[in-house]
Amino acid sequence: MSTTDDSREKSGEEGSGKRLSLPAVMRQASEQLADLVQCEVGAVSAIKASDNGWSADVEVLELERVPDTMSVMASYHVELDSEGSLVAYERVRRYARGQIDRR
């Protein structure tokens, strides 16, 4: 990454045409999705810049259960524009918190 790219990402000024920093995009994705689906965000598991914004995978707690390993989690794929505003989201997976992917 060049010095120019670094300074662009660090500034993150909205409306200036400069790309937001990765931590700022992660916060935006988490906060906006939590507001929409009214669920607690567990983590941002993936994030990727694109030509017209960002895409991210966000894990949320959909249904809290006891024991904790029986809680229902969901993975959402979200799209954000270059200023960090959520423009699309889709639930792509539901799973028990204790479940491990087998690949």
Side-chain angles (χ1 to χ4, degrees), residues 25-35 41 43-44 58:
V25 173
M26 291 176 72
R27 280 190 300 278
Q28 293 275 3
S30 297
E31 292 169 5
Q32 292 177 67
L33 184 64
D35 285 345
V41 171
V44 176
V58 182

Side-chain angles (χ1 to χ4, degrees), residues 2-103:
S2 72
T3 306
T4 307
D5 291 337
D6 287 339
S7 61
R8 239 185 295 154
E9 285 188 15
K10 287 179 184 173
S11 67
E13 296 173 22
E14 290 188 36
S16 66
K18 297 181 180 181
R19 187 175 287 279
L20 294 173
S21 68
L22 191 58
V25 173
M26 291 176 72
R27 280 190 300 278
Q28 293 275 3
S30 297
E31 292 169 5
Q32 292 177 67
L33 184 64
D35 285 345
L36 280 173
V37 298
Q38 296 296 299
C39 293
E40 176 186 335
V41 171
V44 176
S45 58
I47 194 160
K48 182 179 178 183
S50 66
D51 290 339
N52 55 354
W54 299 86
S55 64
D57 294 333
V58 182
E59 310 302 317
V60 301
L61 173 63
E62 284 202 334
L63 186 57
E64 193 166 9
R65 297 280 170 104
V66 176
D68 197 36
T69 55
M70 295 306 295
S71 293
V72 178
M73 303 293 292
S75 182
Y76 284 82
H77 182 76
V78 299
E79 299 286 334
L80 297 100
D81 64 17
S82 60
E83 294 182 356
S85 295
L86 192 67
V87 294
Y89 75 98
E90 174 185 20
R91 184 173 64 195
V92 293
R93 181 173 172 242
R94 288 183 87 190
Y95 57 97
R97 178 174 263 168
Q99 184 177 339
I100 298 172
D101 285 341
R102 300 183 196 269
R103 291 183 191 196

